[in-house]
Amino acid sequence: MAGTKSPEDAYTAAPFVPEGADLGALREAAAGCHGCPLHRGTTQTVFGAGDPDARVVLVGEQPGDQEDRQGKPFVGPAGKVLDRALDEAGIDPDETYITNAVKHFKFTHVPERGKRRIHKPPSLRELSACGPWLEAELELIEPEVVVALGATAGKALLGSSFRVTKERGTRLEGDPSGPARGALIVPTIHPSAVLRADDREAVYEGLVADLRVAAEALG
Ligand code: URA
């Protein structure tokens, strides 16, 4: 019914984010986040990791199966593609901080795939519920460049009208009231798109070209 509030409207991580916390304290607090239902059925919260003084922060969509089990972002197949592409673009993966727009693994089961957990994209409400964690991470790190890996990260950083096909490989200014304020945002495809592509080499080269835009912005 028009005007009726759904329970999803109340989803937000905000009450779980401690004020004045450093990254370590944020990570500890995020472990107990129940700001939306995505924590149910997962192994753990997967918080960001990497160099707290990084000049570049990479933002993905959400942890996958491997990340959920290991508690670290981008440790599965997409992470391997990303590390190789970063290196080729001239960005040292060890000098980056990497995180996700959503900190829990959202999945479903399909009968023909047995017990396997199948990735399901987060809804816009789940994305915005998790926003306070990303905002707090970016506020502490103050990167010069934020790389949005795929459409979900782009929407988290630039709003729901963001389209990765249109804006990838460009330098965009973060909205002054958005989570990446003060930083340049360079959107690109999600590295898992390389793994799904028929022409993996061409899609991978496109990812590297976009990451070079971020490398050039760093100077
Ligand atoms: N895909 C993501 O967006 N993030 C991860 O951490 C892993 C895969």
Side-chain angles (χ1 to χ4, degrees), residues 148 153-162 167 172-175 179 185-187:
K155 287 182 202 302
L157 293 162
L158 291 153
S160 59
S161 60
F162 170 80
E167 318 214 56
L172 303 167
E173 299 260 331
D175 186 291
I185 302 172
V186 178

Side-chain angles (χ1 to χ4, degrees), residues 91-109:
I91 298 173
D92 181 348
D94 291 338
E95 291 179 3
T96 68
Y97 180 90
I98 186 152
T99 190
N100 282 300
V102 169
K103 307 298 196 245
H104 281 108
F105 176 34
K106 183 174 179 182
F107 61 90
T108 186
H109 289 287

Side-chain angles (χ1 to χ4, degrees), residues 46 60-64 67 72-76 78-79 99-100 149 190 192:
V46 179
E61 181 194 75
Q62 61 169 346
E67 289 79 14
K72 291 192 196 126
F74 282 96
V75 289
T99 190
N100 282 300
L149 298 166
H190 193 283
S192 64

